[in-house]
Amino acid sequence: EAAEMVDAFLSRHSIYQVEAEPSSSEEPLIWMLEKVPEPELSVYKALDRLQFDVAGQDCSAVMHSKYWCSGWHADLWYSVRGSINEALRKKKPVNFVFPEVCKDHDAEFIKSWHYAADACPAKDLTCYFLNVSACQRPEDFVESKEQFSLERGIPLEFKSKFEKHEKLAHKPVVRLWDIHNDATGEFYNFLLYSYATRMRYWLRQEVKRRVAKFNLKQPCAVMHVRQNDIALHDNWRRFYYPLKAYIEKGKDALDAMGIHTILLMTDSAEVLDETKEHKEYEWRWMEKHRFRRDRPIKFENQFPSGSPKEETIALLTLYHLASECRLFIGGVSGFGTLAYRYQCLLHTKNIWDCPPVRVLDQHKAYNGSHANPDPRHNASSEHFNKHVVPQADS
C-alpha cells in the first residue's frame, strides 16, 4: 500500500526520481527522492502540467495515440515517445488507446498491448509503468483525435537549455542506425522515452534483483545479434551474420579496451551454440527461451516463452545490464539501438556519455562462411542470386 502511494505521487511528479527505497515490506518504509537536474527538470515539469493539470480539466479533450503493437523500439520509441513529443510541441495532452486488434495475426491480442497481455487486467503500459496521464485510457480510438508524429526536434522552449548544457556541448555525433541527432537531441528524446517507462515499484525491485543476481563482470561489452525474424521484415529485410563476424567487427575495440566479458543479447539459440568456438571471451547471456532456425519463424514473435510479462521483465533487465558496459557491437536493429541509448545515459545518470560502437551493416550480403538459412529472405532480396557462397569446410 505504501509503495502504491509513492507510485501515485511519482506518476504526477516526474521531476522526482527514486534514490533509495525498501526492497520489501519487512524493511523500514522510507523512500528517498531526488529532484532531477536541468535540463530534464524543465521537460518533466512541462509534462506534469500538460499530462495531469491540463488533461485532468477535461479528459474528453485529450488527444489519442494508438498502440502500435510492433517491436519494443517501434512501440516505445517511435509511437509513445513520438506522441509525447508531439503533445509538448502542440501543447495538447495525449493518452494511449488500443486499436481494435493489436496484431492482425494474433486474435489473442484484441483490446490489449501485446507486451502486457498477461501482465495485469488493464493490459496496457500501466501494468509496468507509472501513469502518464490524469485520465483513464479511452475505450475506443477516435481518428479525429489522433495526435502522433515521428518528429524528434527539441521544442523551442527547451532548446537553449539543452544546447547550452555544459555536459552535452561538443559531444561527437554517434553514427548508429536510428541515431538521428547530436547529443542534445538524443538526450532530449531519451528523456521522453524514460518518462513513459518509469517503472512501478514491483518492477523496479524485480529488475534490480535480477541485475544484482546476474553479477555482470566489468569491463564488458554488449553484443546484440538478431537473427530469427529479420529475414521476414517486408520493408526492412536484413541478412544473418554469424557470431564470428560480430567479433571481427569489434575486435579492435575489445583489444584496445581490454574487454574479455561480453553480454550477449540474441533471439537465436544457434548463436549461443556458436560461442563455444570463441572461448577467448567470457560469454554472459540471460537464460530464457529462444527460437531455433529449424522451427517455424513468424515476424515479430517476441514471446518464445509464451509469457509477454516474463519477456518484458527480461528485456528491461537486459537494458539495465547493458548500461553497465562501455562498448556496443551489433547490427541494424531498433532493439540494439535502444540498448545503446541506455549505455549512453543510465550508467552515469543525467549525463549523456555514449561509449564506442561497432556496427555491421546487415543490409549487405554476408560473403563469408555461411549461406543465409532462410530462403524466403534470399528470394525477396535485391541481392538474390548474388550472395550465395559455399559452406566452409569443417
Side-chain angles (χ1 to χ4, degrees):
E1 185 176 331
E4 291 177 1
M5 292 174 63
V6 172
D7 279 356
F9 174 84
L10 292 172
S11 290
R12 171 63 183 82
H13 300 90
S14 63
I15 62 173
Y16 294 102
Q17 57 191 11
V18 177
E19 279 296 293
E21 63 184 353
S23 58
S24 71
S25 58
E26 298 176 359
E27 296 182 9
L29 300 179
I30 300 174
W31 273 259
M32 295 179 62
L33 306 181
E34 180 183 50
K35 186 178 287 187
V36 299
E38 291 286 5
E40 53 262 55
L41 179 63
S42 294
V43 175
Y44 286 174
K45 270 186 176 179
L47 282 169
D48 288 342
R49 286 194 299 268
L50 184 66
Q51 291 294 104
F52 287 85
D53 295 342
V54 176
Q57 293 174 10
D58 182 7
C59 288
S60 66
V62 172
M63 305 303 285
H64 290 188
S65 181
K66 191 184 295 184
Y67 279 90
W68 274 23
C69 301
S70 181
W72 188 269
H73 180 261
D75 290 7
L76 277 299
W77 185 262
Y78 284 161
S79 179
V80 173
R81 179 214 54 80
S83 298
I84 291 174
N85 192 33
E86 190 70 355
L88 285 172
R89 283 161 45 83
K90 292 186 173 180
K91 293 181 168 51
K92 294 182 178 180
V94 68
N95 209 341
F96 299 95
V97 189
F98 295 143
E100 278 302 311
V101 179
C102 181
K103 279 182 169 293
D104 292 340
H105 55 271
D106 284 317
E108 66 185 291
F109 296 133
I110 292 176
K111 289 294 182 181
S112 71
W113 178 43
H114 59 320
Y115 279 99
D118 65 343
C120 76
K123 299 183 179 182
D124 61 15
L125 283 164
T126 64
C127 293
Y128 304 114
F129 307 122
L130 301 178
N131 297 343
V132 296
S133 174
C135 304
Q136 295 291 317
R137 185 192 70 243
E139 278 299 311
D140 299 304
F141 179 77
V142 179
E143 293 284 349
S144 62
K145 290 184 176 182
E146 184 171 19
Q147 180 171 271
F148 165 74
S149 174
L150 292 173
E151 172 62 44
R152 304 191 193 192
I154 305 174
L156 288 177
E157 63 184 294
F158 310 123
K159 198 171 181 67
S160 65
K161 290 182 179 292
F162 282 82
E163 291 180 343
K164 295 178 180 179
H165 192 277
E166 60 179 7
K167 292 179 179 177
L168 293 174
H170 312 301
K171 294 281 187 181
V173 176
V174 174
R175 301 301 179 189
L176 179 62
W177 180 80
D178 196 57
I179 300 286
H180 292 187
N181 297 299
D182 59 14
T184 58
E186 285 300 313
F187 184 33
Y188 167 75
N189 282 283
F190 192 80
L191 291 177
L192 302 186
Y193 166 85
S194 299
Y195 173 79
T197 56
R198 294 169 295 146
M199 294 183 287
R200 293 189 175 277
Y201 172 81
W202 74 267
L203 186 53
R204 294 195 297 271
Q205 291 303 312
E206 182 60 20
V207 170
K208 179 181 177 182
R209 183 189 68 79
R210 293 191 185 197
V211 168
K213 183 179 180 181
F214 195 88
N215 192 25
L216 182 60
K217 185 188 298 182
Q218 299 184 38
C220 58
V222 171
M223 186 174 289
H224 179 233
V225 182
R226 181 178 174 186
Q227 291 194 348
N228 171 52
D229 65 340
I230 57 173
L232 307 181
H233 197 166
D234 288 340
N235 60 349
W236 200 247
R237 288 181 172 85
R238 286 152 283 172
F239 289 85
Y240 287 1
Y241 276 62
L243 185 65
K244 73 172 185 178
Y246 291 83
I247 296 172
E248 291 168 358
K249 188 71 176 180
K251 193 174 189 311
D252 67 319
L254 290 166
D255 291 347
M257 300 174 72
I259 294 175
H260 300 283
T261 301
I262 299 179
L263 175 63
L264 181 59
M265 306 168 76
T266 183
D267 58 355
S268 169
E270 279 84 3
V271 171
L272 302 188
D273 296 339
E274 292 176 34
T275 62
K276 298 173 184 177
E277 302 171 13
H278 304 281
K279 296 181 179 179
E280 66 272 30
Y281 298 104
E282 179 184 353
W283 296 95
R284 300 294 310 279
W285 58 78
M286 186 173 292
E287 296 296 340
K288 61 189 293 294
H289 293 272
R290 288 178 172 85
F291 295 103
R292 284 197 173 273
R293 293 178 197 149
D294 59 356
R295 297 175 186 175
I297 299 174
K298 183 167 62 175
F299 180 59
E300 287 192 339
N301 181 7
Q302 295 95 343
F303 316 121
S305 69
S307 170
K309 180 179 179 180
E310 173 54 34
E311 299 289 347
T312 298
I313 298 171
L315 178 153
L316 290 167
T317 302
L318 276 173
Y319 277 154
H320 282 74
L321 285 168
S323 73
E324 300 180 5
C325 298
R326 298 308 298 146
L327 172 65
F328 178 86
I329 305 167
V332 181
S333 164
F335 182 91
T337 304
L338 196 48
Y340 183 69
R341 290 187 175 108
Y342 273 85
Q343 290 182 274
C344 291
L345 178 65
L346 200 58
H347 75 286
T348 48
K349 194 175 73 170
N350 309 121
I351 301 173
W352 193 257
D353 182 23
C354 296
V357 59
R358 299 291 185 271
V359 179
L360 283 168
D361 183 359
Q362 293 167 278
H363 292 295
K364 295 180 180 179
Y366 177 67
N367 55 6
S369 61
H370 85 303
N372 192 306
D374 193 325
R376 290 169 292 186
H377 176 32
N378 297 345
S380 63
S381 168
E382 62 180 292
H383 301 281
F384 185 49
N385 285 335
K386 298 178 182 179
H387 71 280
V388 177
V389 295
Q391 292 284 353
D393 294 332
S394 55

